[in-house]
Amino acid sequence: MNSADLGRRVGVPSTALFTDQYELTMVQAALKAGTAGRHSVFEAFTRRLPEGRRYGVVAGTGRVLDAVENFHFDDEIIGFLRQQDIVDEPTLEWLAGYRFSGDIWGYPEGEVYFPGSPILRVESSFAECVLLETVILSILNHDSAIAAAASRMSAAAGGRRLIEMGARRTHELSAVASARAAYVGGFDATSDLAAGFRYGIPTVGTSAHAFTLLHDTERDAFRAQVDSLGRGTTLLVDTYDVSEAVRAAVEIAGPELGAVRIDSGDLLLVAHRVRQQLDELGATGTKIVVTSDLDEYAIASLAAAPVDAYGVGTQLVTGSGHPTCSMVYKLVARAGGSGDAGAPLVPVAKKSLGAKSSVGGRKWAARRVDGHGVAEAEVIGTGAVPEELAGRELQVELVRGGQVVAREPLEAPRERHVSARAGLPMSAMQLSRGEPVLGTEYV
């Protein structure tokens, strides 16, 4: 089962080769050394937020669960590894029987995070855990970056409708993941049909400039679209003269015209003029949709404009300048003594002269709030949870004994993000560059 089973069933191939070669060579060496089965704890986290960002958004968790569930080495993959002489025969034999059998805990999808937050904790044997590093980071880094950009745009939009339109600006499979992450971050719909089919995200779309140029006149194009799609359709009005197009649109569709789309020019000025013209023509209920290379700053600049919806493409699917979250996946604890699951855990951590050091130990995380219920600190610890933070822990169980236990429809992380963002200080919504809105405290 995968997350598509909550909507449309879509087959998922093995994810076992979505990895780096050194994951497999480490397993080979550990098997030979007798340490591959040593009980281990890995954590995914980021040491810092992208420059100027005030919070991060966890996205892709559902896709991670799919990836873990579908991480197996079938005969074809084993044949490839053998042919390329990637690892030796004992390792190939071990890989052929691989299924993750451990536990995974993490921040629920849609939650916010900060530097050091233990976003995901993976616990099993060293060999089982280390193989998942690359695919986990690939998903979390991409999806969380898109969701963070979407969240900022959603905050800037102030409740106005947001449409994801970036499929043509990124890899075709990234486009589907981007639409999903954008939906978690606050977008309302996507133009990408694969995302609609795969995840049940609402889809929208009517026509492009090519459709207008196809016809002898703009009126012919509008008439053809209205005849086919109805009066509630959205007509693109900036192919030639905007004022003439708006007049023709209302004459053809009547005051029941659903919306007009503006894709160029001074959007603030043009939107005001179009709104005035629509009202004068009696189309007071007709909406205005703007597109044209928008980002959160452009959306914020249109706050005073009579705009009803924004369509965003390039800036969204590239994380609005930050296409990754720089998350890492580090071994933080492993069993001492016999090395089995019952042996005491020994904290381990990389030491570095630069900015790549980490904190050892299996961690919990909780968010402390003030008397008004507003978050004031991200608290992280390795011992017992302080009494005053009991019940405020952020991590939830995702996988138990290799079985996924936290499937949820996509609406759940979307709603969770609204709640999580609302619990942050108001300064989190500022678009100006700043430090993380919450500090991280280790106890």
Side-chain angles (χ1 to χ4, degrees), residues 166-189:
R168 62 191 62 193
R169 303 300 190 203
T170 188
H171 185 280
E172 65 273 17
L173 298 182
S174 295
V176 182
S178 294
R180 182 188 184 282
Y183 193 66
V184 170
F187 272 59
D188 300 285

Side-chain angles (χ1 to χ4, degrees), residues 329-347:
Y329 181 89
K330 297 298 180 183
L331 179 65
V332 297
R334 50 104 176 147
S338 62
D340 62 28
L345 285 175
V346 177

Side-chain angles (χ1 to χ4, degrees), residues 264-314:
S264 60
D266 183 336
L267 297 179
L268 179 62
L269 176 63
V270 175
H272 277 287
R273 288 178 174 173
V274 168
R275 180 73 270 159
Q276 180 179 355
Q277 186 179 11
L278 287 170
D279 291 347
E280 289 173 350
L281 292 171
T284 57
T286 299
K287 308 291 186 183
I288 296 177
V289 181
V290 297
T291 51
S292 187
D293 205 26
L294 300 176
D295 62 10
E296 60 265 49
Y297 302 103
I299 291 171
S301 73
L302 292 168
V307 171
D308 299 286
Y310 305 95
V312 190
T314 303

Side-chain angles (χ1 to χ4, degrees), residues 130-144:
V130 77
L131 285 180
L132 299 176
E133 175 179 7
T134 302
V135 70
I136 285 175
L137 290 179
S138 176
I139 293 171
L140 291 181
N141 269 314
H142 174 270
D143 289 24
S144 296

Side-chain angles (χ1 to χ4, degrees), residues 49-50 53 55-59 113 142-155 181-182 184-185 296 316 319-320 322 324-325 417 421:
L49 297 182
R53 293 288 172 87
Y55 61 94
V57 180
V58 178
Y113 70 87
H142 174 270
D143 289 24
S144 296
I146 306 306
S151 178
R152 285 163 59 86
M153 294 174 190
S154 174
V184 170
E296 60 265 49
L316 176 61
S320 195
H322 297 290
T324 181
C325 303
H417 179 61
R421 193 175 67 184

